[in-house]
Amino acid sequence: MDIAFSPEELTFREEVRGFFDEQFDDELVSRLRGDNFKEAIVEWQQRLYKKGWIAANWPVEHGGTGWTPTQKYIYETERSERGIPGVIPFGIGMVGPMIYQFGTTEQKEKFLPGVLDSTTWWCQGYSEPGSGSDLASLKTKAELDGDHYVINGAKIWTSYAQYADWIFVLVRTSNEGKKQEGITFILVDMKTPGIKINPIISIDNEHSLNEVEFSDVRVPVENVVGEVNKGWTVAKALLAHERTGIADVAQSKRNIRLIKEAASAEMNGGKRLLDDAGFQAKVADLEIELMALEFTELRTLAAMAAGGFPGPESSLLKIKGTELQQATQELRMETAAYYQGVLPNGMDPEVLGHSWAHDAFRNYMYGRASTIYGGSNEVQKNIIAKYVLGLE
Amino acid sequence: MNFDFSEEQQMVRDSIARFVQDDYDWDTRRAIVASDTGMSDKAWQTFAELGWLSIPFAEEDGGFGGNIVDTMVIMEEIGKGLVVEPYLPTVVLFGGLIARAGNEAQRNAWIPSIIEGSTSGAFAYLERQSRFEIADCLTQAKAAGDGWVLNGEKVVVFNGANCNQMIVLARTSGEQWDRDGLSLFVVAADAEGVNRVDYPMMDGQRVANITFTDVALNADSLVGEAGTAMATVEAMIQEATIALMAEAVGCMGTLNAKTLEYTKTREQFGVAIGSFQSLQHRMVDTMMAYEQAKSLLFKVVCEYKQDPASAAASIHALKVFIDKNAKLVYGEATQMHGGMGITDELDIGHYAKRLMMINTTFGDATYHRAQYIDKAYAA
Ligand SMILES: Cc1cc2nc3c(=O)[nH]c(=O)nc-3n(C[C@H](O)[C@H](O)[C@H](O)COP(=O)(O)OP(=O)(O)OC[C@H]3O[C@@H](n4cnc5c(N)ncnc54)[C@H](O)[C@@H]3O)c2cc1C
Ligand SMILES: Cc1cc2nc3c(=O)[nH]c(=O)nc-3n(C[C@H](O)[C@H](O)[C@H](O)COP(=O)(O)OP(=O)(O)OC[C@H]3O[C@@H](n4cnc5c(N)ncnc54)[C@H](O)[C@@H]3O)c2cc1C
């Protein structure tokens, strides 16, 4: 048992720090907060791409970094501690791996370069109004007509569909047998006639979610990834990718740091809030939970380094990680106290006393979703109960 | 002992519930929050016509002569309907301070006009640095001639932008944090030197930051005796806290009811999600949280009705208890609605936001727990 980093790993950490300090500049930070988020995040991803660091989890042969789990851990920790956003997951984290795992040579050549250099923006068309946790009950159907599939139906909660060039969709191609057996994974150009996007505003007052309607959308058969009617295999492989890194201990640690900073400026009765015993107890409880979770994450990483694959145990990381994210976001909101405002456009954030209060609000509100997406925490508990504990 | 409501209380409760059902549906409420002023004059006039604005005031002032039980009944219904009109700032706080500390001329000047709906009031007492400490007051009123000159800034004043009159807490002597030397003044919102910055809080309530620059006040604007406001304000905030906790209980009850309904109708895996035992147990937890919160609210109200001073420690306890149980209720409501729960369109997230704001209004749980410990464990 040993947690010290090797000299090579320490050198790597210095390189990561240097890169972030230089490339994640203030100008980019303010653009990421501004109106043109898409352009700013794409530019950031392209800086990572130029450095060769865009695809931390991909094998080298497809353009990945080939990093060890420890290197990934170092990278993610440094990133989160600086509040640098993660790579938008739908391309690099989701469809890319599915294409290099299940796709044809033509598909790899056609799609992987755009995923890697962020010139293609992808979105995920899984959930439907009637099919959320019970994803396999999905009804959006694709019927064969010559060398095209004709898609009809609706997807919902499609993050950033309004930015997307392409969408990967789970469609029903057969109603025979078990519901999981008639599903196909297909890639659709968002410019195809018959696609309509309806925005959904979330409780953080932002627009990232959408409903995507398909009416007679014609898609060439060569856009099917994997086998027809075997899309569930692809879908589930993708969900395993989605779950990795979701605990984001580093982000919660950063939030604790921000809470402490804020609470040492915030005064209560002439004392610093941070000196208040009741407040200290709250922060301490969270820090202690995080200490444990950090080592649960490290144990999972070590198992992966030893050649293991994250099994259903990683559901534990998802559950505890998101619970702690929400708890730290909540305490940060409480630290802002009276200043939990929604700022009308164009208003000086200082009106609320703290320029960070609006950030705290957005993180807290959007953070409610982390226990719902990626397979809700209830579904994760069902998975642990069934596959880890053997409970039926 | 009984926990029954009088016939009049039941009538008021039913009339507010009917108003919410008929005239304050979710789309109407959304439109009101999005409007310029963030409140509806029409709704406010209805409140006046139906007599709700008169309830807590004494009969000799033209009021209905209600007590804390009546206020609880009203505020719980306001919570159920997520009503944003400024009942708490105008009637409970502004009107309550005038009723408590005002002289006859002030009561005559303001209470009838509150009751008829023409005076909209606010209480400006907190400052940027003060967090929850009322005595942490830097705003100053200096004697000038036979009147006063007011200077300073108040923040997050409920109804601060829409009010036409406000009561301002200012220091007339002593130093920051001194309990002595604080005084209350009625200030017209359009007085020269008053500048208001209007903004909505996350729950849609309108608040303002207000600066006072050499605002000239005549002698009549002083409410109560100079230098002795602290006791009045503390007593007022205690009563307003009970009112706010009743609103919270109303919000919690509605969230539970809506969530229960949703889990009975939303189907996944071919069955209603309410049939999953893991969700059933949590619905039971939130039901118990609501009932327990209501019980503690009743205890506080009963104590307060007998003798406000005897309720001091229980009010802190109630604030701590509601904080914890409201979080449970809105957390579960959001979670059990899945993606729907985090949309702006559905009301669930808005009840959650209101409860979050309530939890930090008049002191958060950390603050009240410390106060409770001070009072309950005092040597
Ligand atoms: C911010 C956000 C972004 C998203 N982005 C995308 C995206 O880009 N693409 C996409 O396809 N989807 C996306 N989703 C959808 C997400 O995957 C679904 O919301 C999720 O699968 C839950 O489905 P649902 O919302 O229909 O809730 P439901 O499945 O209706 O669940 C409602 C409640 O019931 C519980 N429940 C359901 N089944 C069980 C059970 N068997 N046992 C116990 N409890 C159960 C759930 O945990 C939840 O609490 C996103 C969602 C959010 C909130
Ligand atoms: C956005 C999103 C994210 C998700 N994230 C994850 C995730 O991270 N991990 C994950 O695992 N799932 C995830 N899911 C999928 C969700 O967990 C599944 O919908 C859920 O597990 C139910 O799957 P299923 O019952 O259809 O069966 P499957 O997952 O297909 O079942 C797995 C195995 O169990 C068997 N099985 C299924 N039902 C029964 C039964 N009743 N009796 C006996 N055997 C049965 C199957 O035959 C199969 O061998 C996610 C869904 C969405 C929408």
Side-chain angles (χ1 to χ4, degrees):
Chain A
M1 280 208 159
D2 185 10
I3 58 157
F5 290 136
S6 69
E8 296 77 34
E9 287 161 350
L10 288 173
T11 311
F12 175 71
R13 190 173 68 182
E14 284 318 303
E15 189 187 355
V16 172
R17 286 177 175 172
F19 175 78
F20 285 154
D21 288 346
E22 189 196 307
Q23 294 285 316
F24 194 72
D25 49 56
D26 292 346
E27 194 249 326
L28 193 62
V29 172
S30 68
R31 276 170 56 207
L32 281 165
R33 289 213 188 98
D35 291 337
N36 213 336
F37 170 75
K38 179 184 179 180
E39 193 189 276
I41 190 79
V42 165
E43 176 165 342
W44 170 239
Q45 294 192 177
Q46 288 173 344
R47 288 184 198 179
L48 288 171
Y49 171 67
K50 286 197 193 93
K51 176 76 181 164
W53 285 358
I54 188 70
N57 291 309
W58 292 25
V60 183
E61 66 200 275
H62 297 300
T65 56
W67 282 342
T68 64
T70 308
Q71 281 177 302
K72 287 181 205 166
Y73 170 79
I74 289 172
Y75 177 85
E76 281 301 306
T77 304
E78 296 298 323
R79 178 186 70 75
S80 270
E81 273 176 2
R82 284 169 172 76
I84 298 176
V87 169
I88 299 288
F90 309 106
I92 291 288
M94 297 184 181
V95 79
M98 295 311 105
I99 292 172
Y100 68 64
Q101 233 170 298
F102 299 97
T104 59
T105 311
E106 292 74 33
Q107 285 170 340
K108 288 179 205 168
E109 282 168 3
K110 178 169 179 193
F111 293 110
L112 292 184
V115 170
L116 283 165
D117 70 10
S118 301
T119 48
T120 312
W121 189 297
W122 285 87
C123 66
Q124 177 188 25
Y126 271 31
S127 307
E128 298 182 7
S131 305
S133 300
D134 182 13
L135 181 60
S137 69
L138 61 93
K139 291 195 178 62
T140 295
K141 67 174 180 208
E143 287 163 310
L144 201 55
D145 177 23
D147 53 3
H148 280 72
Y149 276 105
V150 181
I151 302 181
N152 279 287
K155 295 292 174 177
I156 197 169
W157 315 124
T158 320
S159 299
Y160 296 128
Q162 76 270 32
Y163 296 160
D165 304 301
W166 282 77
I167 181 170
F168 53 94
V169 193
L170 290 181
V171 289
R172 181 152 302 286
T173 37
S174 161
N175 285 311
E176 274 158 43
K178 278 179 54 181
K179 59 188 178 183
Q180 288 83 359
E181 283 163 9
I183 293 172
T184 299
F185 188 103
I186 193 165
L187 311 177
V188 181
D189 186 336
M190 288 295 279
K191 288 189 292 295
T192 321
I195 297 180
K196 183 164 174 264
I197 300 175
N198 307 312
I200 299 171
I201 305 301
S202 42
I203 48 177
D204 52 0
N205 302 95
E206 303 284 331
H207 171 209
S208 66
L209 301 174
N210 303 275
E211 188 187 20
V212 181
E213 290 179 74
F214 296 81
S215 9
D216 292 330
V217 175
R218 296 182 66 82
V219 183
V221 288
E222 65 259 26
N223 286 10
V224 169
V225 177
E227 283 175 57
V228 172
N229 293 335
K230 293 275 160 53
W232 190 245
T233 315
V234 185
K236 290 218 308 182
L238 184 148
L239 293 171
H241 275 265
E242 186 177 357
R243 216 167 33 197
T244 50
I246 214 162
D248 211 345
V249 174
Q251 190 215 87
S252 293
K253 280 169 88 174
R254 175 169 187 267
N255 262 336
I256 297 265
R257 179 164 58 72
L258 294 174
I259 288 167
K260 286 178 170 170
E261 270 171 34
S264 55
E266 186 74 15
M267 303 300 277
N268 195 28
K271 274 192 336 187
R272 298 190 316 162
L273 184 60
L274 195 57
D275 296 333
D276 180 287
F279 188 81
Q280 287 171 344
K282 283 193 168 182
V283 185
D285 281 347
L286 289 178
E287 271 184 341
I288 293 164
E289 286 275 343
L290 268 176
M291 286 179 195
L293 185 65
E294 181 164 32
F295 267 65
T296 303
E297 194 177 35
L298 289 172
R299 283 169 60 201
T300 310
L301 283 171
M304 281 169 72
F309 196 73
E313 296 85 354
S314 62
S315 290
L316 187 162
L317 278 179
K318 201 262 169 176
I319 296 167
K320 280 288 153 196
T322 52
E323 283 177 1
L324 272 172
Q325 280 165 35
Q326 292 185 346
T328 52
Q329 286 158 351
E330 180 174 277
L331 188 57
R332 188 156 175 246
M333 278 288 285
E334 285 178 14
T335 310
Y338 264 95
Y339 309 106
Q340 301 175 354
V342 178
L343 290 172
N345 284 340
M347 194 150 176
D348 175 7
E350 291 298 329
V351 76
L352 295 175
H354 310 299
S355 54
W356 53 270
H358 195 55
D359 241 23
F361 163 78
R362 274 162 56 166
N363 288 339
Y364 176 86
M365 292 318 308
Y366 188 77
R368 300 303 89 194
S370 68
T371 48
I372 295 167
Y373 59 60
S376 77
N377 282 20
E378 290 74 27
V379 166
Q380 304 298 338
K381 284 185 185 174
N382 290 344
I383 291 171
I384 296 183
K386 191 169 169 182
Y387 298 103
V388 181
L389 303 179
L391 296 168
E392 286 296 327
Chain B
M1 181 169 47
N2 84 74
F3 295 116
D4 303 331
F5 295 119
S6 70
E7 220 167 282
E8 279 127 348
Q9 285 158 353
Q10 290 181 42
M11 275 168 57
V12 170
R13 188 183 60 194
D14 294 346
S15 82
I16 303 180
R18 215 174 312 118
F19 163 79
V20 168
Q21 196 181 8
D22 298 344
D23 300 320
Y24 210 84
D25 63 17
W26 185 237
D27 288 337
T28 308
R29 196 260 185 198
R30 285 179 73 86
I32 291 172
V33 167
S35 70
D36 276 354
T37 57
M39 65 166 285
S40 156
D41 292 333
K42 185 167 153 249
W44 195 248
Q45 279 315 313
T46 307
F47 289 16
E49 279 154 28
L50 296 177
W52 306 339
L53 305 180
S54 75
I55 298 226
F57 299 111
E59 284 169 44
E60 55 270 30
D61 290 331
F64 172 82
N67 59 32
I68 189 73
V69 182
D70 301 274
T71 298
M72 173 183 84
V73 167
I74 293 172
M75 290 301 292
E76 189 176 343
E77 293 306 316
I78 284 180
K80 285 184 194 167
L82 217 54
V83 172
V84 290
E85 277 64 29
Y87 194 88
L88 186 85
T90 295
V91 176
V92 178
L93 287 169
F94 179 85
L97 285 166
I98 297 282
R100 273 165 196 270
N103 56 33
E104 202 183 329
Q106 287 166 333
R107 292 204 307 277
N108 286 338
W110 304 120
I111 293 178
S113 66
I114 291 173
I115 291 172
E116 66 174 43
S118 57
T119 288
S120 177
F123 178 34
Y125 68 111
L126 288 175
E127 303 187 356
R128 243 166 230 282
Q129 81 289 347
S130 66
R131 201 169 173 90
F132 306 127
E133 290 299 338
I134 298 165
D136 185 353
C137 177
L138 294 168
T139 297
Q140 286 220 339
K142 285 210 170 93
D146 51 359
W148 308 83
V149 175
L150 184 67
N151 277 291
E153 187 196 23
K154 299 290 175 181
V155 296
V156 198
V157 180
F158 298 123
N159 198 36
N162 290 323
C163 71
N164 43 36
Q165 298 292 329
M166 63 186 102
I167 292 184
V168 180
L169 180 72
R171 190 162 284 296
T172 43
S173 64
E175 303 290 322
Q176 187 182 7
W177 299 307
D178 283 353
R179 293 176 55 87
D180 289 333
L182 293 168
S183 308
L184 297 169
F185 297 91
V186 183
V187 180
D190 59 2
E192 198 165 326
V194 174
N195 183 41
R196 301 186 278 182
V197 179
D198 168 25
Y199 54 97
M201 298 303 275
M202 61 189 279
D203 59 357
Q205 306 262 334
R206 285 303 173 89
V207 299
N209 291 354
I210 308 178
T211 51
F212 305 93
T213 314
D214 295 330
V215 179
L217 303 173
N218 61 32
D220 301 341
S221 46
L222 178 68
V223 180
E225 223 179 292
T228 65
M230 191 61 190
T232 308
V233 172
E234 273 181 335
M236 187 70 253
I237 295 293
Q238 284 189 337
E239 187 178 317
T241 303
I242 299 176
L244 191 69
M245 294 302 97
E247 185 182 345
V249 168
C251 292
M252 288 163 70
T254 301
L255 271 181
N256 278 354
K258 284 179 186 283
T259 306
L260 182 61
E261 179 60 29
Y262 189 75
T263 57
K264 284 180 178 170
T265 48
R266 169 70 175 170
E267 290 191 2
Q268 287 292 279
F269 304 99
V271 292
I273 58 173
S275 66
F276 300 129
Q277 202 172 49
S278 59
L279 297 195
Q280 286 173 354
H281 285 191
R282 286 154 55 179
M283 298 294 298
V284 173
D285 286 341
T286 55
M287 182 272 261
M288 293 191 296
Y290 167 72
E291 292 298 337
Q292 288 273 85
K294 194 160 193 157
S295 299
L296 194 54
L297 175 66
F298 280 12
K299 172 187 160 73
V300 169
V301 164
C302 291
E303 283 178 359
Y304 191 86
K305 194 176 154 213
Q306 272 183 337
D307 170 18
S310 74
S314 327
I315 292 172
H316 296 305
L318 179 62
K319 199 77 178 52
V320 174
F321 196 77
I322 293 277
D323 177 89
K324 175 175 155 194
N325 288 287
K327 279 175 181 156
L328 180 78
V329 166
Y330 72 67
E332 294 291 21
T334 313
Q335 181 69 17
M336 286 192 226
H337 276 81
M340 289 305 296
I342 68 133
T343 61
D344 182 62
E345 192 185 342
L346 201 69
D347 50 9
I348 297 302
H350 296 266
Y351 280 92
K353 287 177 184 176
R354 179 69 193 131
L355 283 170
M356 288 162 62
M357 280 306 304
I358 286 177
N359 276 345
T360 56
T361 300
F362 304 142
D364 65 9
T366 308
Y367 174 83
H368 281 281
R369 191 179 289 103
Q371 297 287 316
Y372 176 83
I373 289 168
D374 269 0
K375 291 207 169 69
Y377 306 162

